């Protein structure tokens, strides 16, 4: 039977037309839709890398425009790596079915949120991206890092939330527009995606000086380094204090200088993170920052231009107690005598009291063998003391009041207060600096600085109480008080926040003063000390100064150790021609970001690991260090610094 064509109603269910004229427009429309869908699928797959690039341009567009030569190539390679990694993960996550797509989707959202969100947060705080050095450093202080994040959780959430939402939206879009079939390309993506993640962990990238890589690539590279360390494929790199191996010193007879009748006691008060402009160094009638100590030491000798040699506590303490430069070897920093050793050898009673938590970076190892009759750490004061803040400073004052009355004269003692360390301890009833917030967001910078000043103000109350107590005791008139801070604190003056990030003045210009009752110094010594009111002096000068106070400045048996000290006693004239080294990367402590320099007189040479050249500042003419004079203005210090430190921070292998 021959087939007969009947006209069909195209609207009837289950019918179809075979009229070519009616099929052509639909076929063309479908083809256009298919092409548009393929183009849209490619746009979705490339969107993660485009978004990463857009975020990076928004954060540091000016710096990216300065990239030249190999750094442009490096950045282009990072963009390609980013596009391949995220594209493969997203392609695998967009599969139509199967459990693998959920694994891929989870990895995509998690990695995108962490790599970009954390980098946004870190940039807001420190004006640079988390890199391998910083992440390895952080793994050494996981409890401290968690405390920091708890204190600033709101800002962290605000940084990671947008990447989280975007990543989830991209997965939804990929499953709508990409949706690969179970074809060879889909199977290949599922295999290649984890391989791409692996290579993201191990491919080298520019992460220090220029950071000529996208933020996600820098973070993945850092994560790879951490994984290597955790698995034992990479040895731990962070340097921290260890057990000291000091020599046995010969017995010494401290001889009072000049007209001193007796050997004075010395109480060395060290506070934490207090910068010079947050403390009343010179006596004044109106002192908003530290009114209690201002009132307790009205006749003090101010040292208005005191500089720490580092902005890291462990390094500063090693320098303050040994007199060695921070660039000394690890062996010397652990093997040379400290002030406690010298004083003990001369028959002084000694003590070390601190509210710092001695489990932080195993700090107890460095002080556990000090020859002290009294020694106190945070957990001795409060078993539940916070790792970062330590015990309440008021508890430390109570312990000092008890112990110091038991000490035999003459004595040398260190009182080390710590509640002004990040995250800062305040009391709302004694917080005069307002508005104050504990937010680290850039827009809250001034309120955060006020929060810090409130912590300084609170700590000052108990230090002032301790000083008044000492002066009221029978031994008070025979006790010299030496006061300084281990380092300062930055509030984005040059981009960074906190400390250890630079040797710029906000981090190393610290308060310094000496309160010496009448008769504890000779007239010549007091005159010399007064003459240094405006002199640029350093923590390395305090060790010989205290040895001078103890009558040990000329002790022949100690001469071999004195020879390694670079400071000068403030009880005499100071003539200094050699530059003084500054660094936060030392044999006693590692650094998250390399930074170092030198000072000679009022000129400072410094650089951080992302700098491509040395900077030179005149700290007296330009106290905020805004005007870079160029390395040549610092004379031979650039050459000396490169010889001493090995080069610019970002270029040292």
């Amino acid at each position: 039977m021959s087939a007969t064509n009947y006209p069909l109603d195209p609207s009837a269910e289950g019918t179809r037309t075979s009229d070519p004229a009616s099929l052509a427009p639909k076929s063309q429309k479908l083809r256009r839709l298919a092409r548009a869908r393929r183009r849209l699928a490619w746009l979705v797959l490339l969107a993660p890398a485009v978004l990463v690039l857009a975020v990076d341009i928004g954060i540091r567009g000016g710096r990216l425009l300065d990239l030249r030569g190999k750094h442009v190539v490096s950045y282009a390679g990072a963009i390609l790596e980013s596009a391949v990694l995220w594209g493969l993960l997203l392609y695998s996550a967009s599969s139509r079915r199967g459990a693998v797509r959920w694994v891929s989707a989870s990895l995509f959202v998690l990695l995108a949120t962490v790599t970009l969100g954390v980098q946004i947060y870190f940039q807001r705080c420190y004006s640079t991206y988390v890199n391998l050095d910083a992440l390895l450093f952080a793994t050494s202080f996981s409890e401290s890092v968690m405390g920091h994040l708890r204190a600033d959780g709101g800002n962290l959430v605000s940084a990671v939330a947008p990447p989280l939402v975007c990543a989830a939206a991209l997965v939804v879009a990929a499953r709508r527009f990409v949706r690969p079939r179970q074809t060879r390309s889909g199977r290949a993506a599922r295999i290649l995606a984890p391989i791409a993640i692996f290579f993201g962990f191990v491919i080298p990238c520019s992460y220090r000086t220029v950071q000529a890589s996208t933020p996600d690539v820098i973070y993945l590279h850092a994560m790879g380094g951490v994984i290597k360390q955790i698995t034992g494929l990479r040895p731990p790199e962070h340097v921290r204090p260890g057990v000291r191996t000091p020599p046995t010193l010969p017995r010494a007879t401290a001889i009072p200088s000049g007209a001193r009748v007796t050997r004075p006691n010395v109480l060395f008060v060290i506070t934490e993170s207090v910068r010079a402009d947050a403390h009343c160094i010179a006596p004044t009638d109106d002192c908003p920052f530290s009114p209690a100590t201002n009132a307790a030491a009205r006749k003090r000798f101010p040292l208005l231009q005191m500089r720490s040699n580092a902005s890291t506590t462990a390094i500063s303490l090693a320098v303050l107690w040994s007199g060695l430069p921070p660039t000394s070897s690890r062996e010397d920093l652990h093997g040379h005598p400290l002030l406690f050793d010298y004083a003990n050898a001369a028959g002084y009673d000694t003590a070390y009291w601190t509210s710092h938590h001695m489990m932080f970076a195993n700090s107890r190892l460095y002080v556990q063998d000090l020859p002290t009759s009294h020694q106190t750490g945070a957990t001795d004061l409060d078993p539940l003391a916070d790792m970062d803040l330590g015990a309440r400073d008021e508890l430390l004052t109570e312990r000092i009041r008890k112990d110091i009355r038991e000490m035999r004269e003459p004595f040398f003692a260190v009182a080390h207060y710590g509640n002004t360390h990040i995250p800062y301890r305040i009391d709302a009833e004694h917080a005069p600096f307002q508005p104050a917030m504990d937010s680290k967001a850039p827009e809250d910078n001034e309120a955060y600085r006020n929060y810090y000043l409130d912590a300084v103000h609170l700590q000052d109350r108990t230090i002032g109480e301790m000083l008044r107590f000492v002066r009221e005791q029978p031994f008070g008139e025979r006790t010299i008080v030496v006061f300084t801070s281990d380092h300062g604190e930055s509030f984005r003056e040059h981009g960074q926040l906190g400390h250890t990030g630079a040797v710029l003045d906000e981090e190393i210009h610290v308060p310094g003063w000496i309160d010496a009752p009448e008769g504890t110094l000779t007239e010549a010594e007091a005159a010399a000390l007064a003459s240094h009111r405006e002199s640029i002096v350093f923590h390395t000068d305090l060790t010989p100064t205290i040895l001078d106070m103890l009558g040990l400045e000329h002790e022949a048996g100690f001469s071999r150790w004195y020879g390694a000290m670079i400071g000068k006693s403030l009880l005499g004239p100071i003539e200094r021609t050699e530059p003084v080294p500054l660094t936060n990367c030392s044999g006693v402590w590692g650094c998250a970001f390399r930074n170092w320099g030198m000072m000679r007189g009022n000129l400072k040479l410094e650089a951080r690991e992302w700098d491509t050249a040395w900077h030179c500042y005149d700290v007296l003419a330009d106290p905020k260090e805004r005007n870079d004079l160029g390395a040549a203005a610092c004379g031979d210090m650039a050459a000396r610094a490169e010889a001493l430190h090995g080069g610019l921070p970002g270029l040292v292998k």
Side-chain angles (χ1 to χ4, degrees):
M1 181 182 293
S2 61
T4 303
N5 292 327
Y6 296 96
L8 300 175
D9 181 359
S11 65
E13 182 177 282
T15 63
R16 54 176 74 175
T17 179
S18 57
D19 183 3
S22 62
L23 285 173
K26 292 184 177 180
S27 177
Q28 291 173 1
K29 183 177 181 181
L30 289 173
R31 283 196 293 270
R32 285 196 300 271
L33 287 173
R35 287 196 296 270
R37 190 186 189 104
R38 285 195 295 271
R39 286 194 292 268
L40 193 56
W42 276 107
L43 288 175
V44 171
L45 293 175
L46 290 173
V50 173
L51 288 173
V52 169
L53 179 60
V55 168
D56 201 17
I57 291 173
I59 289 175
R60 52 174 189 150
R63 283 189 247 173
L64 296 180
L65 290 175
D66 291 334
L67 297 180
R68 296 290 184 273
K70 66 179 182 179
H71 295 130
V72 174
V73 175
S74 171
Y75 196 82
I79 294 174
L80 178 61
E81 180 183 337
S82 180
V84 170
L85 169 67
W86 300 121
L88 284 171
L89 261 180
L90 196 54
Y91 192 81
S92 179
S94 65
S95 296
R96 300 182 179 216
R97 63 182 63 89
V100 173
R101 71 177 188 148
W102 292 107
V103 175
S104 298
S106 299
L107 280 173
F108 177 83
V109 172
L110 176 64
L111 285 177
T113 301
V114 171
T115 58
L116 201 55
V118 170
Q119 294 291 42
I120 292 171
Y121 174 76
F122 207 78
Q123 267 282 349
R124 288 178 181 175
C125 289
Y126 304 109
S127 295
T128 189
Y129 287 132
V130 173
N131 63 18
L132 176 60
D133 298 327
L135 216 54
L136 288 175
F137 185 89
T139 58
S140 300
F141 307 101
S142 56
E143 189 171 341
S144 180
V145 171
M146 293 307 297
H148 169 89
L149 295 180
R150 284 194 299 271
D152 201 39
N155 288 317
L156 176 63
V157 170
S158 70
V160 302
L164 173 62
V165 172
C166 287
L170 284 170
V171 171
V172 173
R175 290 183 175 178
R176 173 69 177 83
F177 298 108
V178 181
R179 303 187 69 228
R181 300 178 183 275
Q182 300 298 319
T183 60
R184 184 178 302 172
S185 62
R187 290 191 293 271
R190 290 195 292 272
I191 295 172
L192 292 175
I195 294 176
I197 295 174
F198 170 78
F199 278 106
F201 289 155
V202 300
I203 292 175
C205 70
S206 171
Y207 66 91
R208 279 190 181 136
T209 305
V210 182
Q211 292 197 328
S213 306
T214 52
D216 55 337
V217 166
I218 295 173
Y219 195 90
L220 285 170
H221 171 260
M223 288 175 64
V226 171
I227 291 170
K228 287 180 183 178
Q229 180 169 294
I230 292 173
T231 57
L233 297 175
R234 181 193 193 106
E237 293 189 358
H238 182 66
V239 179
R240 59 180 70 187
V243 177
R244 294 174 56 243
T245 56
T248 301
L249 296 178
R251 300 304 298 178
T253 303
I255 302 174
S257 298
R260 288 194 223 150
V261 177
T262 59
R263 296 184 294 174
N265 309 305
V266 176
L267 176 61
F268 193 4
V269 181
I270 305 172
T271 185
E272 165 72 41
S273 303
V274 177
R275 42 194 278 165
D277 60 6
H279 183 88
C280 299
I281 302 172
T284 178
D285 293 332
D286 181 18
C287 176
F289 306 111
S290 51
T293 53
N294 179 63
R298 294 293 295 175
K299 296 182 179 181
R300 61 190 181 273
F301 294 88
L303 301 167
L304 299 177
Q305 296 294 332
M306 172 68 73
R307 297 306 191 282
S308 170
N309 297 79
S311 59
T312 300
T313 302
I315 303 174
S316 292
L317 293 182
V319 168
L320 283 167
W321 295 343
S322 72
L324 296 176
T327 49
S328 298
S329 69
R330 180 173 177 83
E331 292 72 25
D332 284 347
L333 289 169
H334 284 81
H336 275 235
L338 305 183
L339 283 169
F340 301 93
D341 301 306
Y342 293 119
N344 179 68
Y348 282 79
D349 195 2
T350 63
Y352 176 50
W353 304 288
T354 181
S355 57
H356 276 269
H357 203 302
M358 304 312 290
M359 286 181 62
F360 184 86
N362 294 328
S363 300
R364 183 173 293 280
L365 294 178
Y366 195 72
V367 300
Q368 66 182 14
D369 295 324
L370 293 178
T372 55
S373 63
H374 296 81
Q375 189 169 153
T376 296
T379 52
D380 298 314
L381 302 170
D382 178 3
L384 301 179
D386 182 82
M387 183 66 74
D388 293 298
L389 284 175
R392 291 187 297 116
D393 283 336
E394 292 84 355
L395 296 178
L396 180 63
T397 290
E398 289 179 17
R399 179 61 62 89
I400 293 172
R401 287 168 60 109
K402 172 184 175 296
D403 288 354
I404 201 167
R405 285 182 293 191
E406 300 173 357
M407 296 189 71
R408 169 181 49 80
E409 293 188 74
F411 61 75
F412 167 75
V414 173
H416 184 195
Y417 288 83
N419 288 174
T420 41
H421 189 279
I422 293 173
Y424 315 132
R425 175 175 165 260
I426 70 163
D427 181 345
E429 295 184 3
H430 302 285
F433 299 94
Q434 297 296 325
M437 298 173 61
D438 61 353
S439 167
K440 296 181 178 66
E443 60 271 20
D444 299 325
N445 193 61
E446 290 310 306
Y448 187 52
R449 189 199 303 264
N450 284 341
Y451 191 84
Y452 159 80
L453 292 175
D454 285 334
V456 173
H457 189 271
L458 177 64
Q459 183 189 73
D460 172 71
R461 288 169 58 88
T462 195
I463 294 179
E465 178 189 348
M466 183 271 292
L467 293 177
R468 287 194 300 273
F469 173 80
V470 168
R471 288 289 177 244
E472 291 168 356
Q473 303 308 303
F475 55 78
E477 62 183 15
R478 297 183 294 276
T479 301
I480 299 173
V481 176
V482 180
F483 180 94
T484 192
S485 178
D486 58 353
H487 51 75
E489 195 84 334
S490 59
F491 291 91
R492 294 190 173 88
E493 289 85 354
H494 293 86
Q496 79 279 19
L497 189 66
H499 56 271
T500 77
V503 292
L504 292 158
D505 259 11
E506 57 265 25
E507 293 195 36
I508 69 166
H509 187 190
V510 294
W513 50 261
I514 294 173
D515 187 32
E518 187 176 350
T520 55
L521 298 179
T522 66
E523 289 185 8
E525 290 170 334
L529 186 54
S531 73
H532 297 308
R533 177 188 177 99
E534 303 281 352
S535 302
I536 293 180
V537 294
F538 298 88
H539 274 177
T540 42
D541 297 319
L542 287 180
T543 313
T545 301
I546 291 174
L547 288 170
D548 207 348
M549 294 172 177
L550 300 178
L552 297 172
E553 69 275 24
H554 301 303
E555 181 60 43
F558 300 160
S559 59
R560 59 174 297 201
W561 312 111
Y562 289 174
M565 297 181 187
I566 64 170
K568 306 293 182 182
S569 172
L570 300 174
L571 303 187
I574 294 179
E575 295 181 6
R576 202 187 326 260
T577 57
E578 293 297 302
V580 176
L582 314 168
T583 184
N584 281 307
C585 309
S586 168
V588 77
W589 192 260
C591 52
F593 298 106
R594 299 175 180 183
N595 58 97
W596 48 65
M598 284 183 161
M599 281 189 73
R600 179 191 282 129
N602 56 310
L603 292 178
K604 179 196 291 180
L605 182 88
E606 68 82 30
R608 293 177 280 179
E609 74 173 35
W610 46 84
D611 291 325
T612 57
W614 293 103
H615 306 137
C616 179
Y617 300 105
D618 183 333
V619 299
L620 296 184
D622 176 27
K624 294 187 181 297
E625 296 171 316
R626 301 296 189 194
N627 181 27
D628 178 13
L629 303 174
C634 277
D636 65 347
M637 278 200 284
R640 284 173 172 259
E642 294 196 4
L644 178 63
H645 297 288
L648 275 166
L651 301 181
V652 176
K653 298 298 183 182

